[in-house]
Amino acid sequence: MAAISGLMRMMEKAARKAGQRLRRDFGEVEHLQVSRKGPADFVSKADQAAERTLWDELRAARPGWGFLMEEGGEIPGEEGKPRFIIDPLDGTSNFLHGIPHFAISIAVQERTLDGKAWGEITAGIVYQPITDQSYWAEKNSGAWLHDRRLRVSARRNLDEALIATGIPFSGRGDMGEWTRIYHDIGPRVAGIRRYGAASLDLAWVAAGRFDGFWESSLQPWDTAAGCLLVREAGGFVTDYRGRSQPICDETVLAGNDALHSKLHKMVAGAIKSA
């Protein structure tokens, strides 16, 4: 087992503390006060409280670091310091409908060498409160589920592959593009799943549960930790054009080497046919 750094232990502690509150609020989901944040995009008091818990814990442990948060936005840190990228509740719609599939995602992003831009993701955790599962990775140390090493699946054939995706919904995403991609991929694979939490989809690709994943119109906090998990588990993450970036969020394509290549050809062909 890889040695767990003090940073990762601290991140897991923060995620677990926020997760405790989410579990409690999930049990009272019908009583939550919910406000509309945008088309089909809800924010609850549980979401905000979890983010506050993460902010308090991480800021106390790493003063001077910056933050990029779903609810709180960007909070600059001291010059040259890394930042935390946080999604306190990925799968908000599942949560609000009483579906026990949601997660907390935390990633660490470093500055580029010249200090002028944001660069690599060097640590990430996706914590699933209901199952109490921590998927974590640090750069060059592998991906792990608690103390078990994770590897992407070894399947090479599309007809054996289970692929995850996210389906566009009201006010978000390009349904026409998604439909073209689905029409190319769907008939060739063993199945397609849409569970509604991108961070967990990517964690499950890292764990070999899903063989691949595609989605568009995401945000950095949805995918930052998940991208690192897949890569450290031996997989590939790119955008639809095949470019590997520290965070793939506007378009995301993940899988092992063989399936990623095959999926990329189909996705690229579907987009060109528009």
Side-chain angles (χ1 to χ4, degrees):
M1 176 181 174
I4 304 176
S5 70
L7 172 63
M8 183 54 63
R9 291 187 185 279
M10 179 272 295
M11 290 166 62
E12 183 174 25
K13 178 183 176 183
R16 287 184 176 277
K17 186 169 183 179
Q20 289 176 354
R21 176 152 191 160
L22 286 180
R23 282 196 298 271
R24 184 187 66 205
D25 287 339
F26 184 71
E28 301 294 330
V29 66
E30 69 272 17
H31 304 305
L32 289 177
Q33 295 181 28
V34 180
S35 61
R36 287 297 293 270
K37 188 171 62 175
D41 193 5
F42 297 95
V43 59
S44 68
K45 285 189 173 181
D47 199 333
Q48 295 167 330
E51 184 169 277
R52 182 68 197 195
T53 297
L54 295 170
W55 155 260
D56 288 341
E57 291 290 313
L58 297 173
R59 182 183 56 171
R62 293 294 188 274
W65 285 30
F67 287 81
L68 178 63
M69 301 181 286
E70 181 180 18
E71 306 302 337
E74 185 172 6
I75 300 175
E78 296 176 6
E79 185 176 355
K81 292 287 184 72
R83 69 177 178 180
F84 292 107
I85 301 177
I86 296 172
D87 191 340
L89 178 52
D90 183 23
T92 305
S93 293
N94 286 345
F95 184 91
L96 293 176
H97 287 83
I99 299 171
H101 189 80
F102 52 88
I104 294 167
S105 177
I106 309 171
V108 173
Q109 188 172 30
E110 304 283 346
R111 285 281 188 182
T112 55
L113 291 177
D114 61 11
K116 296 180 180 180
W118 289 109
E120 292 185 307
I121 301 297
T122 54
I125 183 170
V126 176
Y127 177 63
Q128 192 171 10
I130 297 300
T131 60
D132 192 32
Q133 291 181 312
S134 295
Y135 303 85
W136 63 274
E138 292 187 271
K139 185 173 174 58
N140 299 324
S141 295
W144 304 80
L145 173 54
H146 301 302
D147 60 354
R148 179 171 67 84
R149 184 72 180 262
L150 299 179
R151 297 293 298 179
V152 293
S153 82
R155 294 184 182 90
R156 319 292 288 181
N157 299 320
L158 284 170
D159 60 3
E160 299 174 344
L162 185 64
I163 308 298
T165 188
I167 302 174
F169 53 90
S170 177
R172 182 171 171 178
D174 185 335
M175 180 58 79
E177 178 185 86
W178 183 90
T179 301
R180 291 191 300 276
I181 295 171
Y182 175 80
H183 281 167
D184 274 7
I185 294 177
R188 305 186 192 187
V189 299
I192 291 179
R193 300 290 183 268
R194 196 279 191 186
Y195 284 169
S199 63
L200 276 174
D201 288 337
L202 289 165
W204 286 13
V205 171
R209 298 178 183 178
F210 290 140
D211 301 296
F213 171 73
W214 92 88
E215 189 169 356
S216 63
S217 301
L218 293 170
Q219 298 292 335
W221 46 79
D222 295 316
T223 64
C227 286
L228 181 64
L229 279 163
V230 173
R231 287 166 175 152
E232 288 294 316
F236 289 80
V237 184
T238 69
D239 62 15
Y240 287 177
R241 296 176 63 183
R243 299 174 301 185
S244 180
Q245 303 171 6
I247 304 173
C248 295
D249 53 358
E250 293 183 4
T251 61
V252 189
L253 184 64
N256 65 29
D257 57 346
L259 292 179
H260 181 279
S261 177
K262 293 174 181 178
L263 291 169
H264 177 241
K265 288 179 181 178
M266 287 187 287
V267 169
I271 293 174
K272 286 181 180 178
S273 68

